[in-house]
């Protein structure tokens, strides 16, 4: 090394040491432990002290009157002096100007230190909360559960939920066959009762519509006009009209005074499987294999809405006067609730796993039931809240019906007939339909059903080409037919 290089090194050494000292002072705070009050730095301490002096220092002392009342000093209740008090902080002649601050700094530093200690404590608690074991509440709950299980007798450690209270079913008399009506030469696929409860109509695969007397079961009239099986019927309570739909894509309006077709509603692209009338509006809703439900103006034959959204055949439709005013069930295993004014879907119920073939509205309660081959479910309007599932449902269910007494009926494709109590979903009767002599075993199926206006008669249309009328047994009592109610913990009413 040359003498010139040595001189240059000696000149650079003071600069390097000064830079190292400045770097150490700049980053010395990183080496301070983060779990103490000094972790916040001196700047944070100065900031808190300045904020404390500016905003909170003046409020440490109470006003003179309040302080005298609090201390109970004599003269506190005396009248105030007429002399105006000297404004706080005003320096007048004769006052000595002191360089000391109005409040001792030691008090401010103590308050600042207390605030910083609290902040450091919060940081410690937040850091410990991330890695702590189960909380005290969980430990206490586990100990309470173990105490209850230990106190229970042997074999009864499974404690029933406190909020589970099974609804005891209402007693209903069993139903029996009252009358068999023959006249169709094909499957009976649709039924409708007149609002006056004097007659009912039936639609069949033989493409005819027959009007029957409800009291005697005699045939009154036969209407012909469809060229394919009739799948839906509805009788208007506001007009003397009968509406029918079939697999020939036609929707017809029959005038019951002249027994002729007065209107036809064109628009469906395939067979029409379901039909329903609005109870208060002159509106007709139909659905079929084109996967849409169409809303028609009854008088002008104009199509008001096309309720699109289903991906399969619309197999069942129900209408009511309050939202949702239209409910549809489809072969895509969904049930949709529709806003009739907007023509849009309000909710989609996806609880079913198989095709929804039947819907039934309760006559008095604001709810409905839907049926598929996997289950029968009860819903609450207007949002479509799930209530409960009917127990014992199995097989393909083609039809549902509910009367005002709380009896729900379901007819199966294999001829099974089940009766439930609506409120508890308890199946109080399970039977099979009685096939007509000469019919095949495969013709024991129930396709459609409806209660009359009183709810005392059940009318079913079946695969043996007959119409059967059922009624309750007159001599049945709770003693002769007791309720076989065995609630299980697996069932709950929502």
């Amino acid at each position: 090394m040359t003498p010139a290089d040595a001189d240059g090194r000696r000149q650079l050494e003071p600069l390097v040491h000064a830079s190292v000292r400045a770097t150490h002072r700049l980053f010395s705070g990183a080496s301070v432990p983060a779990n103490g009050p000094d972790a916040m730095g001196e700047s944070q301490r100065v900031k808190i002290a300045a904020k404390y002096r500016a905003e909170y220092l003046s409020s440490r002392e109470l006003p003179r009157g309040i302080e005298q009342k609090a201390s109970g000093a004599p003269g506190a209740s005396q009248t105030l002096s007429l002399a105006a008090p000297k404004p706080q902080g005003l320096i007048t002649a004769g006052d000595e100007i002191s360089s000391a601050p109005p409040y001792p700094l030691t008090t401010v530093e103590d308050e600042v230190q207390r605030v910083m200690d609290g902040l450091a404590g919060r940081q410690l608690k937040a850091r410990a909360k991330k890695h702590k074991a189960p909380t005290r509440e969980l430990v206490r709950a586990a100990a309470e559960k173990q105490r209850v299980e230990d106190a229970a007798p042997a074999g009864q450690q499974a404690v029933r939920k406190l909020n589970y209270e099974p609804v005891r079913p209402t007693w209903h008399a069993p139903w029996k066959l009252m009358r068999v009506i023959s006249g169709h030469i094909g499957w009976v696929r649709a039924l409708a009762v007149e609002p006056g409860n004097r007659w009912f109509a039936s639609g069949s695969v033989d493409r005819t519509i027959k009007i029957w007397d409800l009291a005697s079961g005699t045939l009154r009239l036969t209407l012909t006009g469809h060229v394919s099986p009739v799948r839906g019927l509805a009788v208007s309570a506001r007009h003397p009209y009968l509406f029918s739909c079939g697999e020939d894509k036609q929707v017809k309006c029959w005038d019951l005074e002249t027994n002729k077709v007065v209107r036809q509603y064109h628009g469906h692209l395939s067979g029409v499987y379901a039909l329903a009338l609005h109870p208060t509006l002159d509106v007709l809703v139909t659905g079929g294999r084109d996967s849409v439900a169409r809303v028609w103006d009854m008088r002008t034959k104009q199509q008001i809405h096309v309720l699109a959204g289903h991906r399969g055949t619309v197999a069942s439709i129900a209408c009511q006067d309050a939202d949702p005013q239209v409910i549809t069930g489809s072969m895509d295993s969904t049930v949709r609730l529709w806003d009739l004014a907007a023509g849009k879907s309000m909710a989609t119920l996806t609880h079913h796993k198989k095709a929804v073939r039947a819907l039934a509205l309760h006559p008095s309660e604001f709810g409905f039931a839907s049926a598929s081959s996997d289950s029968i479910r009860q819903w609450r309007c207007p949002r479509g809240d799930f209530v409960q599932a009917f127990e014992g449902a199995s097989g393909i269910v083609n039809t549902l019906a509910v009367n005002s007494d709380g009896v729900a009926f379901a007819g199966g494709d294999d001829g099974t007939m089940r009766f439930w109590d609506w409120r508890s979903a308890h199946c109080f009767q399970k039977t099979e339909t009685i096939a007509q002599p000469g019919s095949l075993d495969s013709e024991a199926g129930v396709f459609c059903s409806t209660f009359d206006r009183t709810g005392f008669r059940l009318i079913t249309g079946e695969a043996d080409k007959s119409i059967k009328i059922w009624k309750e047994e007159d001599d049945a009592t709770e003693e002769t037919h007791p309720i076989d109610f065995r609630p299980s913990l697996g069932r709950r009413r929502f």
Side-chain angles (χ1 to χ4, degrees):
M1 182 181 292
T2 61
D5 294 338
D7 294 340
R9 183 175 182 179
R10 284 194 297 270
Q11 293 176 1
L12 289 176
E13 282 181 358
L15 298 177
V16 171
H17 290 311
S19 177
V20 170
R21 287 193 297 271
T23 304
H24 179 72
R25 287 193 301 269
L26 181 62
F27 297 101
S28 61
S31 62
V32 179
N35 56 359
D38 296 335
M40 305 185 67
E42 187 65 26
S43 61
Q44 188 73 5
R45 184 187 299 272
V46 173
K47 176 181 177 182
I48 294 176
K51 186 173 182 180
Y52 181 80
R53 290 191 184 95
E55 299 183 10
Y56 303 106
L57 195 61
S58 60
S59 62
R60 293 178 64 246
E61 293 187 359
L62 295 173
R64 184 178 304 173
I66 299 178
E67 185 176 1
Q68 290 178 355
K69 290 181 180 180
S71 61
S77 60
Q78 297 176 0
T79 58
L80 297 176
S81 175
L82 296 177
K86 182 175 70 173
Q88 184 179 359
L90 180 63
I91 301 176
T92 59
D95 293 340
E96 295 182 1
I97 301 176
S98 175
S99 60
Y103 302 101
L105 290 179
T106 55
T107 304
V108 176
E109 293 298 333
D110 293 343
E111 295 292 339
V112 172
Q113 185 65 32
R114 183 178 61 82
V115 173
M116 297 186 69
D117 291 343
L119 293 177
R122 290 183 184 178
Q123 292 179 355
L124 289 175
K125 290 181 180 179
R127 192 178 298 109
K129 190 175 181 180
K130 296 180 181 179
H131 308 285
K132 69 179 180 179
T135 60
R136 187 179 305 173
E137 290 77 7
L138 293 179
V139 174
R140 187 183 298 111
E144 181 67 20
K145 180 180 179 181
Q146 186 65 31
R147 185 186 64 81
V148 173
E149 291 182 355
D150 294 342
Q156 298 183 8
Q157 276 75 16
V159 181
R160 178 174 296 182
K161 293 183 179 180
L162 297 179
N163 59 348
Y164 176 73
E165 296 180 0
V167 180
R168 184 161 185 84
T170 306
W171 182 83
H172 299 282
W175 292 70
K176 66 178 183 179
L177 182 62
M178 171 186 171
R179 180 180 291 118
V180 178
I181 302 175
S182 300
H184 284 288
I185 58 175
W187 295 347
V188 182
R189 301 304 302 260
L191 291 170
V193 179
E194 184 255 340
N197 209 39
R198 297 188 302 265
W199 54 267
F200 68 95
S202 62
S204 172
V205 177
D206 60 7
R207 302 167 303 194
T208 62
I209 302 171
K210 293 182 180 293
I211 310 297
W212 308 87
D213 185 86
L214 185 58
S216 61
T218 57
L219 180 63
R220 285 190 176 185
L221 182 67
T222 300
L223 302 175
T224 58
H226 284 279
V227 295
S228 288
V230 179
R231 298 297 297 268
L233 290 174
V235 183
S236 175
R238 299 159 52 88
H239 308 284
Y241 293 150
L242 169 68
F243 295 87
S244 63
C245 64
E247 296 181 6
D248 52 4
K249 313 179 194 177
Q250 297 183 11
V251 181
K252 297 178 181 291
C253 174
W254 303 80
D255 189 346
L256 297 177
E257 295 178 349
T258 60
N259 301 329
K260 295 181 179 179
V261 177
V262 294
R263 298 184 185 92
Q264 295 194 40
Y265 305 88
H266 301 283
H268 277 284
L269 306 179
S270 188
V272 187
Y273 284 0
L275 179 148
L277 292 176
H278 196 281
T280 57
L281 303 176
D282 291 336
V283 167
L284 172 69
V285 184
T286 58
R289 291 184 60 189
D290 51 3
S291 304
V292 298
R294 301 180 185 271
V295 183
W296 308 89
D297 188 331
M298 186 185 301
R299 297 163 297 180
T300 63
K301 301 182 293 183
Q302 296 296 320
Q303 186 173 271
I304 303 173
H305 292 302
V306 178
L307 306 180
H310 285 294
R311 295 177 299 171
T313 301
V314 178
S316 53
I317 298 176
C319 290
Q320 57 184 358
D321 53 359
D323 286 331
Q325 299 185 49
V326 179
I327 305 172
T328 58
S330 173
M331 295 289 186
D332 61 3
S333 72
T334 63
V335 178
R336 285 183 178 263
L337 315 180
W338 300 90
D339 183 354
L340 185 59
K344 297 180 180 179
S345 176
M346 298 172 55
T348 303
L349 311 180
T350 59
H351 295 61
H352 288 287
K353 299 179 181 179
K354 299 295 181 64
V356 180
R357 296 171 177 262
L359 294 172
L361 293 171
H362 195 280
S364 56
E365 294 186 9
F366 197 32
F368 68 97
S370 59
S372 66
S373 58
D374 60 341
S375 63
I376 300 176
R377 297 178 181 268
Q378 186 183 137
W379 313 90
R380 183 184 299 111
C381 296
R383 297 185 305 174
D385 299 325
F386 174 71
V387 179
Q388 60 187 346
F390 289 173
E391 61 180 15
S394 63
I396 299 176
V397 179
N398 291 323
T399 178
L400 278 178
V402 184
N403 67 0
S404 57
D405 290 337
V407 176
F409 166 78
D413 202 56
D414 55 355
T416 58
M417 301 174 63
R418 290 181 174 89
F419 296 85
W420 283 275
D421 175 55
W422 174 268
R423 186 167 175 267
S424 64
H426 169 65
C427 182
F428 66 89
Q429 183 181 1
K430 178 182 177 182
T431 183
E432 294 184 359
T433 184
I434 302 173
Q436 286 290 93
S439 301
L440 301 176
D441 294 338
S442 60
E443 291 182 333
V446 182
F447 286 135
C448 55
S449 66
T450 182
F451 285 97
D452 67 352
R453 299 299 174 178
T454 62
F456 298 149
R457 299 290 184 272
L458 173 67
I459 308 171
T460 59
E462 303 186 6
D464 59 357
K465 310 178 185 63
S466 68
I467 301 170
K468 296 182 176 65
I469 301 179
W470 308 75
K471 71 171 185 177
E472 294 180 334
E473 294 186 10
D474 299 331
D475 54 351
T477 61
E478 295 189 36
E479 289 75 16
T480 59
H481 297 80
I483 299 176
D484 185 15
F485 181 53
R486 300 174 183 176
S488 62
L489 292 176
R491 294 190 64 256
R492 283 188 63 187
R493 178 183 174 93
F494 293 89

